[in-house]
Each structure stands twice: as C-alpha cells, then as structure tokens.
Amino acid sequence: MLVILRKMVIKAGSEEQILARFQKEGLLEKQEGFIDLSVIEEKTRKGEKEIVVIVRWESEEHWKQWEKSDAHIAGHKANLGKPKPDYIVSQEVKRYDLKVVKK
C-alpha cells in the first residue's frame, strides 16, 4: 500500500478553505486503486496551522495511473500560471510504503 502525505502550513483562520476543498467529491475518489483520503489538523499552534492530507492507494502503480491520467493532468493545466492561494505558507508532499497496521 502506498501512502501520500501532503503537509501544508496555512495562515490561521483559513482552515475552512482547505477543508472545503477536500470535503467535496472529486475525481480522485473514482480512480482505480484509491482507498481513502483523510485530512488532519494540528491541534494547537499560534499564527499558522498545519494541515496534513493523507491519501492511501492500493499500490504505487495505481497512484502512477492517477498521476498520468487525463483528468489529473487537465487539473494541473487549468491551474498553470495561477499563483498559489495566499493562505498557503508552504507545502510538502512525500510518499511512503505502509509497513504495519494494527487494529
């Protein structure tokens, strides 16, 4: 299983803008191999907040299919040249292989 973590530092007070973006249904959920998406918010921090989006895929191959899909590429082309929202201070994306799960 592949896990993608997108960590965003945002200006305090803009949490709802980020959450709204991920609460609405999108194309991602319809992709083969997509398992789920979770959004977690840092509990306490003054001035800025940290939001982490966690996306789980059945495999790296499924994620690569999404990355190369026409829908994904079209979404990026639509935003090409647009400035990032001013409420996003920084963001970082990393990939992880899931090794252990306990219930």
Side-chain angles (χ1 to χ4, degrees), residues 24-32 34 57 66 69-75:
K24 63 183 177 183
E25 186 174 344
L27 297 171
L28 182 68
E29 296 85 48
K30 297 177 178 131
Q31 298 304 306
E32 181 181 345
F34 171 81
W57 293 91
W66 162 245
S69 72
D70 292 341
H72 185 256
I73 292 168

Side-chain angles (χ1 to χ4, degrees), residues 57-96:
W57 293 91
E58 289 178 16
S59 68
E60 186 166 3
E61 290 72 32
H62 285 107
W63 171 75
K64 284 180 180 178
Q65 281 179 282
W66 162 245
E67 288 284 301
K68 294 177 183 177
S69 72
D70 292 341
H72 185 256
I73 292 168
H76 281 280
K77 282 184 180 177
N79 291 317
L80 196 63
K82 292 182 183 176
K84 72 176 182 174
D86 65 346
Y87 54 84
I88 297 178
V89 176
S90 66
Q91 64 180 323
E92 173 182 27
V93 179
K94 292 187 178 182
R95 298 181 309 185
Y96 298 87

